[in-house]
Every structure is written in structure tokens, then in C-alpha cells.
Amino acid sequence: MGRHTEPLPTPATQAGRDGLAAIVARPERAVVALDFDGTLAQIVADPEQARAHADAVPALAALAPHVASVAVITGRPAGVAVRYGGFAGVAGLEHLVVLGHYGAERWDAVTGTVRTPAPHPGVAAARAELPGVLDTHGAWRGTWIEEKGQAVAVHTRRASDPQAAFEALREPLADLATRHGLVLEPGRMVLELRPPGMDKGVALEAYVREVGAEAILYAGDDLGDLPAFAAVEKLRSDGVPGLLVAADTVIEELAERADLQLNGPAEVTAFLKTLATQL
């Protein structure tokens, strides 16, 4: 055991307490997996301006040498998350893995390269139709189309009434996704159209099996993190202890299922830093 500073917070559930205890007892067999936006980086109106919290990389670099693996699982392209996170070339993060596009892409720090599948043809087709759909539904002003390579997203955070724009676009974008063989993934003032068959739960479970982890921590803040929460719950039923962390309490369903509730990237990184001192 290393030096101790402030104590770790106590998870609200027995399953969470067991998960945290397993991580502390055998960190070398544990995977720490985290969402990016809203968990390691503050949510901002322009997604291109998102950057990891100033304490995120130091906290991860302190933690990573003690655990089996640290993975960032995000809907962003893997290379974008690496750039916005500042994860490349960091001492202590030589074995960091970033699973981008919900696991469809993978960046390994050890090679510095991204493995990516061929783009789904429906993404290009939907992207071409998006301006017309936004215009037809009076939602062009203030919305923001984010090009994500393997996916495309519409942000409503900068609209005059973000929630109204989100609700107005939800059904037409679901129809657009269906017509082009895509799925619609709603989030916090964002609607993403992406290929089916991949989500953070699939990515997380596959990675935990790959590593052979005997304990898992997952932290996320949005609807897209629910499949990862479900994956941890499934792993726990299979005998792999796990800790579920809600990085924010905005999404009620996520907060209710979490073992531990935190309030934004500053608290997440503080928790990770404290955890590192306990290992």
C-alpha cells in the first residue's frame, strides 16, 4: 500500500463497496474505464472546444501504473479524443487505450496508431440530408452538426431553446437514421446518428474479457453510458466485482443506477487521484 491522503468516498451500494474493495485489494487485475465528454472533459457548447480537465491526465498517469489497464471509451473518433485529451506521449500512460466511436475504433498508446473500420455508407447519405431535415423542422438556427467520420451528430445546446430543438428533431432524425440503416443515440442536447451493432457496453465487456480483468470501474455521465453500466452489472452477475460511477447527476437513470455519484470532471479527477494514492 502507498501513502494515504484523504479517504475514498464510500459507494452507496454493497455491490459498489465490493467493487471498490476488489480494485484496492488487487489493482493489478483491475480495469479503469471512463467516458470522455462530461467525465474527463467539461461539457461545452462547441464540442470542438472540449478539452480534458487540467487534472485529468496527471490523475490517470498516477493511476495507470497500478492497474491492469486504463481505457477511455467515447463516442468521439479515437484520434480526436486523444488530441483533445492530451493523452499521447505521457509518462505513465504508455499502455492507455482509447476506444472511439463506441469501440469501433481503437487507439493504443503503445503504438500510437488508430485502427478503424471502413465507414458505413449510411453515414454519408444521412449527412447529406441533414441540412434539409434541420431546415424543414425550423431547427437550423443555433444547431451544430458535428462530423465524426464514423458518425454524425446534431447539437442543440446553442439553440435559443435547446430542449425544444432537441425534442423537435428527435423523431425526424430517428426516421432519417432508420432509412439509412443507422441508429439514433440521444445524449445531453445532442442527437447522434451512427452505425448499429456497437455501443459502450459491447466495447467495455469485450475489453474486460481481453484483459482478463478481475475487477472493473466505469465512470460516465450520459445516456450513451447506460450500456456500459449494464455491462458492468452483467459482469458483476458473472462474478467480476465492479464499481459504477455517475460523473454527473443530470441523467436521472444513470445516477439512480450508480454506486457512487460525483459532480463533473473536477470531482472525477479528484477521485481518480485519491484512488491512485490508495494503491
Coordinates of all heavy atoms in Angstrom, one line a residue, residues 81-160:
A81 N -10.3 12.2 -29.5 CA -10.3 12.1 -28.1 C -8.9 12.1 -27.6 O -8.6 12.7 -26.5 CB -11.0 10.8 -27.6
V82 N -8.0 11.5 -28.3 CA -6.5 11.5 -27.9 C -6.0 12.9 -28.0 O -5.3 13.4 -27.0 CB -5.7 10.6 -28.8 CG1 -4.2 10.8 -28.6 CG2 -6.1 9.1 -28.6
R83 N -6.4 13.6 -29.0 CA -5.9 15.0 -29.2 C -6.5 16.0 -28.1 O -5.8 16.7 -27.5 CB -6.2 15.5 -30.6 CG -5.6 16.8 -31.0 CD -5.6 17.1 -32.5 NE -6.9 17.3 -33.0 CZ -7.6 16.4 -33.7 NH1 -7.1 15.2 -34.1 NH2 -8.8 16.7 -34.2
Y84 N -7.8 15.9 -28.0 CA -8.5 16.8 -27.0 C -8.1 16.4 -25.6 O -8.2 17.2 -24.7 CB -10.0 16.7 -27.2 CG -10.5 17.4 -28.5 CD1 -9.6 17.9 -29.4 CD2 -11.8 17.4 -28.8 CE1 -10.0 18.5 -30.6 CE2 -12.3 18.0 -30.0 CZ -11.4 18.5 -30.9 OH -11.8 19.1 -32.0
G85 N -7.8 15.1 -25.4 CA -7.4 14.7 -24.0 C -6.0 15.0 -23.7 O -5.6 15.0 -22.5
G86 N -5.1 15.1 -24.7 CA -3.7 15.3 -24.4 C -3.1 14.0 -23.9 O -2.2 14.0 -23.1
F87 N -3.5 12.8 -24.5 CA -3.1 11.6 -23.9 C -1.8 11.0 -24.5 O -1.3 10.1 -24.0 CB -4.2 10.5 -24.1 CG -5.5 10.9 -23.5 CD1 -6.7 10.7 -24.2 CD2 -5.6 11.3 -22.2 CE1 -8.0 11.0 -23.6 CE2 -6.8 11.6 -21.5 CZ -8.0 11.4 -22.2
A88 N -1.4 11.5 -25.6 CA -0.3 10.9 -26.3 C 1.1 11.3 -25.7 O 1.2 12.5 -25.3 CB -0.3 11.3 -27.8
G89 N 2.0 10.4 -25.6 CA 3.3 10.7 -25.2 C 3.4 11.0 -23.7 O 4.4 11.7 -23.3
V90 N 2.5 10.6 -22.9 CA 2.5 10.9 -21.5 C 3.2 9.8 -20.6 O 2.7 8.7 -20.7 CB 1.1 11.2 -20.9 CG1 1.1 11.5 -19.4 CG2 0.4 12.4 -21.7
A91 N 4.2 10.2 -19.8 CA 4.8 9.2 -19.0 C 3.7 8.6 -18.0 O 3.0 9.4 -17.4 CB 5.9 9.8 -18.2
G92 N 3.6 7.3 -17.9 CA 2.7 6.7 -17.1 C 1.5 6.2 -17.8 O 0.7 5.3 -17.4
L93 N 1.2 6.7 -19.0 CA 0.1 6.3 -19.9 C 0.6 5.6 -21.1 O -0.1 5.6 -22.1 CB -0.7 7.6 -20.3 CG -1.4 8.3 -19.2 CD1 -2.2 9.5 -19.8 CD2 -2.3 7.4 -18.4
E94 N 1.7 4.9 -21.0 CA 2.2 4.2 -22.1 C 1.3 3.0 -22.6 O 1.5 2.6 -23.8 CB 3.6 3.6 -21.8 CG 4.7 4.6 -21.5 CD 4.7 5.1 -20.1 OE1 3.9 4.7 -19.3 OE2 5.6 5.9 -19.8
H95 N 0.4 2.6 -21.8 CA -0.5 1.5 -22.2 C -1.9 1.9 -22.2 O -2.8 1.0 -22.2 CB -0.2 0.3 -21.3 CG 1.2 -0.3 -21.4 ND1 1.6 -1.0 -22.5 CD2 2.2 -0.1 -20.6 CE1 2.9 -1.3 -22.3 NE2 3.3 -0.8 -21.1
L96 N -2.2 3.2 -22.2 CA -3.6 3.7 -22.3 C -4.2 3.2 -23.6 O -3.6 3.2 -24.7 CB -3.6 5.2 -22.3 CG -5.0 5.9 -22.4 CD1 -5.8 5.7 -21.2 CD2 -4.8 7.3 -22.7
V97 N -5.5 2.9 -23.6 CA -6.3 2.5 -24.7 C -7.4 3.5 -24.8 O -8.1 3.7 -23.8 CB -6.8 1.0 -24.7 CG1 -7.8 0.7 -25.8 CG2 -5.6 0.1 -24.8
V98 N -7.7 4.0 -26.0 CA -8.9 4.8 -26.3 C -9.7 4.1 -27.3 O -9.3 3.8 -28.4 CB -8.5 6.2 -26.8 CG1 -9.8 7.0 -27.2 CG2 -7.7 7.0 -25.8
L99 N -11.0 3.7 -26.9 CA -11.9 3.1 -27.8 C -12.9 4.1 -28.2 O -13.7 4.6 -27.5 CB -12.6 2.0 -27.0 CG -11.7 0.9 -26.4 CD1 -12.5 -0.1 -25.5 CD2 -11.0 0.1 -27.5
G100 N -12.7 4.5 -29.5 CA -13.5 5.6 -30.1 C -14.7 5.1 -30.9 O -14.8 3.9 -31.2
H101 N -15.6 5.9 -31.2 CA -16.8 5.5 -31.9 C -17.5 4.3 -31.2 O -17.8 3.4 -31.9 CB -16.5 5.2 -33.4 CG -16.4 6.4 -34.2 ND1 -17.3 7.5 -34.3 CD2 -15.4 6.8 -35.1 CE1 -16.9 8.4 -35.1 NE2 -15.8 8.0 -35.6
Y102 N -17.6 4.4 -29.9 CA -18.3 3.4 -29.1 C -17.5 2.0 -29.3 O -18.2 1.0 -29.1 CB -19.7 3.2 -29.5 CG -20.5 4.5 -29.3 CD1 -20.6 5.4 -30.4 CD2 -21.1 4.9 -28.1 CE1 -21.3 6.6 -30.3 CE2 -21.8 6.1 -28.0 CZ -21.9 6.9 -29.0 OH -22.5 8.1 -28.9
G103 N -16.3 2.0 -29.5 CA -15.5 0.8 -29.6 C -15.2 0.4 -31.1 O -14.4 -0.6 -31.2
A104 N -15.7 1.1 -32.0 CA -15.4 0.7 -33.4 C -14.0 1.0 -33.8 O -13.4 0.4 -34.7 CB -16.4 1.4 -34.4
E105 N -13.5 2.1 -33.2 CA -12.1 2.5 -33.4 C -11.3 2.2 -32.1 O -11.8 2.2 -31.0 CB -12.0 4.0 -33.7 CG -12.5 4.4 -35.1 CD -12.2 5.8 -35.4 OE1 -11.8 6.6 -34.5 OE2 -12.3 6.2 -36.6
R106 N -10.0 2.0 -32.3 CA -9.1 1.8 -31.1 C -7.7 2.4 -31.4 O -7.1 2.2 -32.4 CB -8.9 0.3 -30.9 CG -8.0 -0.1 -29.8 CD -8.1 -1.5 -29.4 NE -7.0 -1.9 -28.5 CZ -7.1 -3.0 -27.7 NH1 -8.2 -3.8 -27.8 NH2 -6.2 -3.4 -26.9
W107 N -7.3 3.2 -30.4 CA -6.0 3.8 -30.3 C -5.3 3.2 -29.1 O -5.8 3.2 -28.0 CB -6.1 5.3 -30.1 CG -4.8 6.0 -30.0 CD1 -4.0 6.5 -31.0 CD2 -4.1 6.4 -28.8 NE1 -2.8 7.1 -30.5 CE2 -2.9 7.1 -29.2 CE3 -4.4 6.3 -27.4 CZ2 -2.0 7.6 -28.2 CZ3 -3.5 6.7 -26.5 CH2 -2.3 7.4 -26.9
D108 N -4.1 2.7 -29.4 CA -3.2 2.2 -28.3 C -2.0 3.1 -28.2 O -1.3 3.3 -29.2 CB -2.7 0.8 -28.7 CG -3.9 -0.3 -28.6 OD1 -4.6 -0.5 -29.6 OD2 -4.0 -0.9 -27.5
A109 N -1.8 3.6 -27.0 CA -0.6 4.4 -26.7 C 0.7 3.7 -27.1 O 1.7 4.4 -27.5 CB -0.6 4.9 -25.3
V110 N 0.7 2.4 -26.9 CA 2.0 1.7 -27.1 C 2.4 1.8 -28.6 O 3.6 1.7 -28.9 CB 1.9 0.2 -26.6 CG1 1.0 -0.6 -27.5 CG2 3.2 -0.4 -26.5
T111 N 1.5 1.9 -29.5 CA 1.8 2.0 -30.9 C 1.6 3.4 -31.5 O 2.2 3.8 -32.5 CB 1.0 1.0 -31.8 OG1 -0.4 1.3 -31.7 CG2 1.3 -0.4 -31.3
G112 N 0.7 4.2 -30.8 CA 0.4 5.5 -31.3 C -0.5 5.5 -32.5 O -0.6 6.5 -33.2
T113 N -1.1 4.4 -32.9 CA -1.9 4.3 -34.1 C -3.4 4.0 -33.8 O -3.7 3.4 -32.7 CB -1.3 3.2 -35.0 OG1 -1.4 1.9 -34.3 CG2 0.1 3.5 -35.4
V114 N -4.2 4.4 -34.7 CA -5.7 4.1 -34.7 C -6.0 3.0 -35.6 O -5.7 3.1 -36.8 CB -6.5 5.4 -35.0 CG1 -8.0 5.1 -35.0 CG2 -6.2 6.5 -33.9
R115 N -6.8 2.1 -35.1 CA -7.4 1.0 -36.0 C -8.8 1.4 -36.2 O -9.6 1.6 -35.3 CB -7.3 -0.4 -35.4 CG -5.9 -1.0 -35.5 CD -5.9 -2.3 -34.9 NE -5.8 -2.3 -33.4 CZ -6.0 -3.3 -32.6 NH1 -6.4 -4.5 -33.1 NH2 -6.0 -3.2 -31.3
T116 N -9.3 1.5 -37.5 CA -10.6 2.0 -37.8 C -11.2 1.1 -38.9 O -10.6 0.7 -39.8 CB -10.6 3.5 -38.2 OG1 -11.9 3.9 -38.4 CG2 -9.8 3.7 -39.5
P117 N -12.5 0.9 -38.8 CA -13.2 0.1 -39.8 C -13.6 1.0 -41.0 O -13.5 2.2 -41.0 CB -14.5 -0.4 -39.1 CG -14.8 0.8 -38.2 CD -13.5 1.3 -37.7
A118 N -14.0 0.4 -42.1 CA -14.5 1.1 -43.3 C -15.7 1.9 -42.9 O -16.5 1.4 -42.1 CB -14.8 0.2 -44.4
P119 N -15.9 3.1 -43.4 CA -17.1 3.9 -43.0 C -18.4 3.2 -43.5 O -18.5 2.6 -44.6 CB -16.9 5.2 -43.6 CG -16.0 5.0 -44.8 CD -15.1 3.8 -44.3
H120 N -19.5 3.3 -42.7 CA -20.8 2.8 -43.0 C -21.4 3.8 -44.1 O -21.4 5.0 -43.9 CB -21.7 2.8 -41.8 CG -23.0 2.1 -42.0 ND1 -24.0 2.7 -42.7 CD2 -23.5 1.0 -41.5 CE1 -25.1 1.9 -42.7 NE2 -24.8 0.8 -41.9
P121 N -21.9 3.2 -45.2 CA -22.4 4.1 -46.3 C -23.6 5.0 -45.9 O -23.8 6.1 -46.4 CB -22.8 3.2 -47.4 CG -22.9 1.8 -46.7 CD -22.0 1.8 -45.6
G122 N -24.3 4.5 -44.9 CA -25.5 5.3 -44.4 C -25.1 6.6 -43.8 O -25.9 7.5 -43.8
V123 N -23.9 6.6 -43.2 CA -23.5 7.9 -42.5 C -23.4 9.0 -43.5 O -23.9 10.1 -43.3 CB -22.2 7.7 -41.7 CG1 -21.7 9.0 -41.2 CG2 -22.4 6.7 -40.6
A124 N -22.7 8.7 -44.7 CA -22.6 9.8 -45.7 C -23.9 10.2 -46.3 O -24.2 11.4 -46.5 CB -21.7 9.2 -46.8
A125 N -24.8 9.2 -46.5 CA -26.1 9.5 -47.0 C -26.9 10.4 -46.0 O -27.6 11.4 -46.4 CB -26.9 8.2 -47.3
A126 N -26.9 10.0 -44.8 CA -27.6 10.8 -43.8 C -27.0 12.2 -43.6 O -27.8 13.2 -43.5 CB -27.6 10.1 -42.4
R127 N -25.7 12.3 -43.7 CA -25.1 13.6 -43.5 C -25.5 14.5 -44.7 O -25.7 15.7 -44.4 CB -23.5 13.4 -43.6 CG -22.7 14.7 -43.4 CD -21.2 14.4 -43.6 NE -20.7 13.6 -42.5 CZ -20.2 12.4 -42.7 NH1 -20.2 11.9 -44.0 NH2 -19.7 11.6 -41.7
A128 N -25.6 14.0 -45.9 CA -26.1 14.8 -47.0 C -27.5 15.4 -46.8 O -27.8 16.4 -47.3 CB -26.0 14.0 -48.3
E129 N -28.3 14.6 -46.1 CA -29.7 15.0 -45.9 C -29.9 15.9 -44.7 O -31.0 16.6 -44.6 CB -30.6 13.8 -45.8 CG -30.8 13.0 -47.1 CD -31.8 11.9 -46.9 OE1 -32.8 12.1 -46.3 OE2 -31.6 10.8 -47.5
L130 N -29.0 15.9 -43.8 CA -29.2 16.6 -42.5 C -29.6 18.1 -42.7 O -30.5 18.6 -42.0 CB -27.9 16.5 -41.7 CG -28.0 15.4 -40.6 CD1 -26.7 15.4 -39.8 CD2 -29.2 15.6 -39.6
P131 N -28.8 18.9 -43.5 CA -29.2 20.3 -43.6 C -30.7 20.5 -44.0 O -31.4 21.4 -43.4 CB -28.3 20.8 -44.7 CG -27.1 19.9 -44.6 CD -27.7 18.6 -44.3
G132 N -31.2 19.7 -44.9 CA -32.6 19.8 -45.3 C -33.5 19.4 -44.2 O -34.6 20.1 -44.0
V133 N -33.2 18.4 -43.4 CA -34.0 18.0 -42.3 C -34.1 19.1 -41.3 O -35.2 19.4 -40.8 CB -33.5 16.7 -41.7 CG1 -34.3 16.4 -40.4 CG2 -33.6 15.5 -42.7
L134 N -32.9 19.7 -40.9 CA -32.9 20.8 -40.0 C -33.7 22.0 -40.4 O -34.5 22.6 -39.7 CB -31.5 21.2 -39.7 CG -30.6 20.1 -39.0 CD1 -29.2 20.7 -38.9 CD2 -31.1 19.6 -37.7
D135 N -33.6 22.3 -41.7 CA -34.3 23.4 -42.3 C -35.8 23.2 -42.3 O -36.6 24.1 -41.9 CB -33.8 23.7 -43.7 CG -34.4 25.0 -44.3 OD1 -34.3 26.0 -43.6 OD2 -34.9 25.0 -45.4
T136 N -36.2 22.0 -42.7 CA -37.7 21.6 -42.7 C -38.3 21.8 -41.4 O -39.5 22.2 -41.3 CB -37.8 20.2 -43.3 OG1 -37.3 20.1 -44.6 CG2 -39.3 19.8 -43.3
H137 N -37.6 21.4 -40.3 CA -38.2 21.5 -39.0 C -37.8 22.7 -38.2 O -38.0 22.8 -37.0 CB -37.8 20.2 -38.2 CG -38.4 19.0 -38.7 ND1 -37.8 18.3 -39.8 CD2 -39.5 18.3 -38.4 CE1 -38.6 17.2 -40.1 NE2 -39.6 17.2 -39.3
G138 N -37.4 23.7 -38.9 CA -37.1 25.0 -38.3 C -36.1 25.0 -37.2 O -36.1 25.8 -36.3
A139 N -35.1 24.1 -37.3 CA -34.1 23.9 -36.3 C -32.7 24.2 -36.8 O -31.7 23.8 -36.1 CB -34.2 22.5 -35.7
W140 N -32.6 24.9 -37.9 CA -31.3 25.2 -38.4 C -30.5 26.2 -37.5 O -29.4 26.0 -37.2 CB -31.4 25.7 -39.8 CG -30.0 26.0 -40.5 CD1 -29.4 27.2 -40.6 CD2 -29.1 25.0 -40.9 NE1 -28.2 27.0 -41.2 CE2 -28.0 25.7 -41.4 CE3 -29.1 23.6 -41.0 CZ2 -26.9 25.0 -42.0 CZ3 -28.1 23.0 -41.6 CH2 -26.9 23.7 -42.0
R141 N -31.2 27.3 -37.1 CA -30.6 28.3 -36.4 C -30.1 27.8 -35.0 O -31.0 27.3 -34.2 CB -31.5 29.5 -36.2 CG -30.8 30.8 -35.6 CD -31.8 31.9 -35.5 NE -32.3 32.3 -36.8 CZ -31.7 33.1 -37.7 NH1 -30.5 33.6 -37.3 NH2 -32.2 33.4 -38.8
G142 N -28.9 27.9 -34.7 CA -28.4 27.6 -33.4 C -28.0 26.1 -33.2 O -27.3 25.8 -32.2
T143 N -28.3 25.3 -34.2 CA -27.9 23.9 -34.1 C -26.5 23.7 -34.7 O -26.1 24.6 -35.5 CB -28.9 22.9 -34.8 OG1 -29.1 23.3 -36.1 CG2 -30.2 22.9 -34.1
W144 N -25.9 22.6 -34.4 CA -24.5 22.4 -34.8 C -24.3 21.0 -35.2 O -24.6 20.1 -34.5 CB -23.5 22.8 -33.6 CG -22.1 22.4 -33.7 CD1 -21.5 21.2 -33.4 CD2 -21.1 23.2 -34.2 NE1 -20.2 21.2 -33.7 CE2 -19.9 22.5 -34.2 CE3 -21.0 24.5 -34.7 CZ2 -18.6 23.0 -34.6 CZ3 -19.8 25.0 -35.1 CH2 -18.6 24.3 -35.0
I145 N -23.8 20.8 -36.5 CA -23.6 19.5 -37.0 C -22.1 19.1 -36.7 O -21.2 19.9 -37.2 CB -23.9 19.4 -38.5 CG1 -25.4 19.6 -38.8 CG2 -23.5 18.0 -39.0 CD1 -25.8 19.7 -40.2
E146 N -21.9 18.1 -36.0 CA -20.5 17.6 -35.7 C -20.2 16.4 -36.6 O -20.8 15.4 -36.6 CB -20.4 17.2 -34.3 CG -19.0 16.8 -33.9 CD -18.8 16.2 -32.5 OE1 -19.9 16.1 -31.8 OE2 -17.7 15.9 -32.1
E147 N -19.2 16.6 -37.4 CA -18.7 15.5 -38.3 C -17.8 14.6 -37.5 O -16.8 15.0 -36.9 CB -17.9 16.1 -39.5 CG -18.7 17.1 -40.3 CD -19.8 16.4 -41.1 OE1 -19.8 15.2 -41.2 OE2 -20.6 17.2 -41.7
K148 N -18.1 13.3 -37.4 CA -17.4 12.4 -36.6 C -16.8 11.2 -37.4 O -16.4 10.2 -36.8 CB -18.3 11.8 -35.5 CG -18.9 13.0 -34.6 CD -19.8 12.5 -33.5 CE -19.0 11.9 -32.4 NZ -19.8 11.6 -31.2
G149 N -16.8 11.3 -38.7 CA -16.2 10.3 -39.5 C -17.1 9.0 -39.6 O -17.8 8.8 -40.6
Q150 N -17.1 8.2 -38.5 CA -17.9 7.0 -38.5 C -19.4 7.4 -38.1 O -20.2 6.5 -38.0 CB -17.3 6.0 -37.5 CG -15.9 5.6 -37.9 CD -15.9 4.6 -39.0 OE1 -16.9 3.9 -39.2 NE2 -14.9 4.6 -39.8
A151 N -19.7 8.6 -37.8 CA -21.0 9.0 -37.3 C -21.1 10.5 -37.6 O -20.2 11.2 -38.0 CB -21.1 8.7 -35.8
V152 N -22.4 11.0 -37.3 CA -22.6 12.4 -37.4 C -23.6 12.8 -36.3 O -24.5 12.0 -36.0 CB -23.2 12.8 -38.9 CG1 -24.5 12.1 -39.1 CG2 -23.3 14.3 -39.0
A153 N -23.4 14.0 -35.7 CA -24.2 14.4 -34.6 C -24.8 15.8 -34.8 O -24.1 16.6 -35.4 CB -23.4 14.3 -33.3
V154 N -25.9 16.0 -34.2 CA -26.6 17.3 -34.2 C -26.7 17.8 -32.8 O -27.3 17.2 -31.9 CB -28.0 17.3 -34.9 CG1 -28.6 18.7 -34.8 CG2 -27.9 16.9 -36.3
H155 N -26.0 18.9 -32.5 CA -26.1 19.5 -31.1 C -27.1 20.7 -31.1 O -27.1 21.5 -32.0 CB -24.7 20.1 -30.8 CG -23.6 19.0 -30.6 ND1 -23.2 18.5 -29.4 CD2 -22.9 18.4 -31.6 CE1 -22.3 17.6 -29.6 NE2 -22.1 17.5 -30.9
T156 N -27.9 20.7 -30.0 CA -28.9 21.8 -29.9 C -28.5 22.7 -28.8 O -29.3 23.6 -28.5 CB -30.3 21.2 -29.7 OG1 -30.3 20.5 -28.4 CG2 -30.6 20.2 -30.8
R157 N -27.4 22.6 -28.1 CA -27.1 23.3 -26.9 C -27.0 24.8 -27.2 O -27.3 25.6 -26.3 CB -25.7 22.9 -26.4 CG -25.3 23.4 -25.0 CD -24.1 22.7 -24.5 NE -24.3 21.3 -24.4 CZ -24.8 20.6 -23.4 NH1 -25.2 21.3 -22.3 NH2 -24.9 19.3 -23.4
R158 N -26.7 25.2 -28.4 CA -26.6 26.7 -28.7 C -27.9 27.3 -29.3 O -27.9 28.4 -29.7 CB -25.4 26.9 -29.7 CG -24.1 26.6 -29.0 CD -22.9 27.0 -29.9 NE -22.8 26.4 -31.2 CZ -21.8 26.5 -32.0 NH1 -20.7 27.2 -31.7 NH2 -21.8 25.9 -33.2
A159 N -28.9 26.4 -29.4 CA -30.2 27.0 -29.9 C -30.8 27.9 -28.9 O -30.5 27.8 -27.7 CB -31.2 25.8 -30.3
S160 N -31.8 28.7 -29.3 CA -32.4 29.6 -28.4 C -33.2 28.9 -27.3 O -33.3 29.3 -26.1 CB -33.3 30.6 -29.1 OG -34.3 29.9 -29.9

